[in-house]
Amino acid sequence: MSVNKSGHIRLTSHPGAGTASRFKINWGAATPEERGPVVATVNSGPDRNAIGTHGGSYALYRALAVSAGALNPIQRPDLTNTHPVVEIGPFPQWSEPGRIVSIDPFGHLVGEAFGRDIAEGVDIRPSIAITKARLTLPELQHDIGKRLPADGRIVRESGDIACVKIAIDPVWYLPGIAERFGTSETNLRRTLFEQTGGMYPELVTRPDFSVFLPPIGNTTVYLFGDVSKLGDPSTFISGRLHDECNGSDVFGSDICTCRPYLVHGIEEAARDAQAGGVGFIVYNRKEGRALGEVTKFLVYNARKRQEGGDQAATYFERTECVAGVQDARFQQLMPDVMHWLGIRRIDRFMSMSNMKYDALVAAGIDVVERVPIPADLVPTDASVEMEAKKAAGYFTPEPAPSAEDLARVVGRKIEDF
């Protein structure tokens, strides 16, 4: 391996494709058996059929544990009783061409679909886990019995909110990823290889491997209500797609609206679930608009130290000066999780982001109503963010739809609203 004058890394030798795995991946197949398992464990030998390894960014911690002698490198998980606590899918979108390219739609069914192969020694691991939990949010506990009544099913008397919780690790189908971003698969592979410092040589040496498990953060989904109603076109769906903001979401920093909007999204999703619908929160690990927390804090300093202090007019300019781009989240892959949940229509979408809205609509998902964050939930210090986004066309407030519009989209009688 060498580095040329332009700084690009290139392989000085190109090993052949190697022995083809006996497990072929037919992405987009209707059943896990037809699709085939994703075998991405490094101890799988010739059965391996994917680039990277399980665990996303945690794969590096696993490597540290192995190097420290704390973890046996050939250790395999015992999947007994780890199967999902509720059924999700299958839905038609799982096999509709191009709908899902960044998630293994069968990632939660590994133990059942490929149990025989696992019993025979093939190391196949889930990329999705589904469990149940309760959320305890101080902001909402104060309002139990007021804005959000306790019903004993979704909202408990104690203030806890019952939910189904789903963890999804990324699994990228490289041809589909390239198509989403309007590039060639060859260019995508080469760029991923170069921009990770050559971390995954198989990106350029194994064109027969079409699946890549990137070392990035995962997605967590919280569902409220009867999840068996997912996929039913008559089900009222509401929720929020939220990108991680550790400072606000966890520690309550008031420079942005992230936690207030997240809590508002949970409250509204739970309320709609109480009325018979299904609510969702999709939480994506894309800290600092996918620029990272270090970059975000550098931008904070640059914004507040400029002449005249923090200003809406230079909000995005300061970000671009530090990071080179205003926002690296894009949203091309975000709709995949909606397709995985069988959702074709969102009746109430707690988001003001045009990027998210446009990505959903482009992916064939109808959005009936966009719900802005209530003005009284915007922290004082976050007013700069809101004004900057409004001036930049980051969001477009829309009037609430009429009963006639809702009835037309949802297919109900006007009297139902």
Side-chain angles (χ1 to χ4, degrees):
M1 189 179 295
S2 64
V3 180
N4 61 25
K5 292 181 179 180
S6 65
H8 290 169
I9 297 172
R10 64 183 180 87
L11 292 181
T12 54
S13 63
H14 293 263
T19 304
S21 172
R22 60 182 169 135
F23 297 104
K24 184 179 180 181
I25 296 178
N26 299 301
W27 197 270
T31 67
E33 293 79 13
E34 293 175 296
R35 203 286 309 278
V38 174
V39 186
T41 43
V42 295
N43 58 7
S44 296
D47 289 336
R48 182 175 169 82
N49 63 7
I51 305 165
T53 188
H54 290 281
S57 58
Y58 290 99
L60 300 179
Y61 288 102
R62 186 169 63 241
L64 286 177
V66 171
S67 67
L71 176 63
N72 184 342
I74 62 172
Q75 174 69 33
R76 298 186 179 185
D78 179 356
L79 298 178
T80 303
N81 292 329
T82 62
H83 57 281
V85 298
V86 298
E87 292 185 10
I88 299 292
F91 298 111
Q93 292 97 312
W94 293 11
S95 57
E96 292 176 359
R99 291 293 193 196
I100 299 177
V101 299
S102 63
I103 297 170
D104 176 2
F106 305 109
H108 57 309
L109 304 176
V110 163
E112 295 71 42
F114 305 113
R116 178 177 297 180
D117 295 316
I118 294 173
E120 292 177 355
V122 184
D123 194 354
I124 308 171
R125 304 188 183 187
S127 59
I128 300 175
I130 304 175
T131 188
K132 288 185 177 181
R134 295 185 185 182
L135 303 184
T136 302
L137 300 171
E139 296 96 325
L140 296 186
Q141 281 191 306
H142 297 156
D143 292 324
I144 299 303
K146 300 176 184 177
R147 293 191 316 189
L148 193 62
D151 64 308
R153 180 176 58 93
I154 295 172
V155 181
R156 313 299 172 92
E157 294 292 342
S158 61
D160 296 341
I161 302 176
C163 67
V164 170
K165 185 162 66 172
I166 306 170
I168 304 175
D169 278 341
V171 177
W172 287 5
Y173 177 57
L174 292 172
I177 298 290
E179 184 176 354
R180 289 280 181 92
F181 284 88
T183 187
S184 68
E185 183 184 349
T186 298
N187 182 58
L188 173 66
R189 286 173 174 267
R190 184 178 66 249
T191 304
L192 287 171
F193 170 74
E194 292 175 349
Q195 295 301 315
T196 57
M199 184 182 292
Y200 297 99
E202 291 168 317
L203 285 165
V204 293
T205 64
R206 295 300 300 265
D208 56 318
F209 283 6
S210 62
V211 171
F212 174 43
L213 278 65
I216 60 177
N218 70 324
T219 295
T220 308
V221 179
Y222 298 85
L223 298 176
F224 311 96
D226 184 356
V227 299
S228 69
K229 293 182 178 180
L230 288 170
D232 182 344
S234 68
T235 301
F236 192 93
I237 301 291
S238 72
R240 174 168 174 77
L241 292 155
H242 188 92
D243 294 329
E244 178 183 26
C245 177
N246 186 61
S248 178
D249 297 341
V250 178
F251 295 100
S253 172
D254 64 354
I255 197 171
C256 61
T257 60
C258 295
R259 181 178 174 90
Y261 216 162
L262 175 61
V263 175
H264 174 67
I266 294 172
E267 177 181 351
E268 294 301 305
R271 178 180 292 106
D272 289 334
Q274 288 179 316
V278 174
F280 69 85
I281 296 292
V282 174
Y283 193 90
N284 295 303
R285 265 66 182 191
K286 295 179 180 178
E287 178 64 58
R289 300 197 200 113
L291 299 171
E293 200 165 37
V294 170
T295 297
K296 182 165 74 170
F297 288 7
L298 293 175
V299 171
Y300 284 169
N301 288 346
R303 283 169 48 191
K304 290 179 178 292
R305 286 172 173 164
Q306 65 186 334
E307 185 176 352
D310 199 6
Q311 305 167 43
T314 57
Y315 179 89
F316 286 110
E317 178 186 334
R318 291 295 86 201
T319 301
E320 194 163 0
C321 286
V322 176
V325 65
Q326 294 182 2
D327 194 325
R329 289 173 297 176
F330 307 103
Q331 293 293 350
Q332 285 92 330
L333 304 180
M334 174 270 292
D336 286 22
V337 68
M338 295 287 99
H339 292 311
W340 183 72
L341 291 169
I343 294 174
R344 297 189 188 273
R345 185 196 68 252
I346 300 174
D347 296 289
R348 298 183 68 235
F349 184 41
M350 271 60 79
S351 173
M352 300 167 72
S353 168
N354 286 347
M355 290 177 65
K356 294 176 182 177
Y357 172 81
D358 292 343
L360 290 168
V361 172
I365 299 170
D366 292 327
V367 178
V368 180
E369 179 186 4
R370 298 166 70 180
V371 181
I373 183 172
D376 62 336
L377 294 184
V378 178
T380 301
D381 206 24
S383 60
V384 171
E385 173 200 44
M386 296 298 288
E387 289 302 316
K389 289 183 175 180
K390 182 177 180 180
Y394 197 85
F395 59 81
T396 304
E398 294 186 351
S402 66
E404 289 80 3
D405 289 336
L406 286 171
R408 175 177 50 80
V409 175
V410 184
R412 300 180 185 173
K413 297 179 180 179
I414 294 177
E415 297 79 43
D416 293 337
F417 297 93

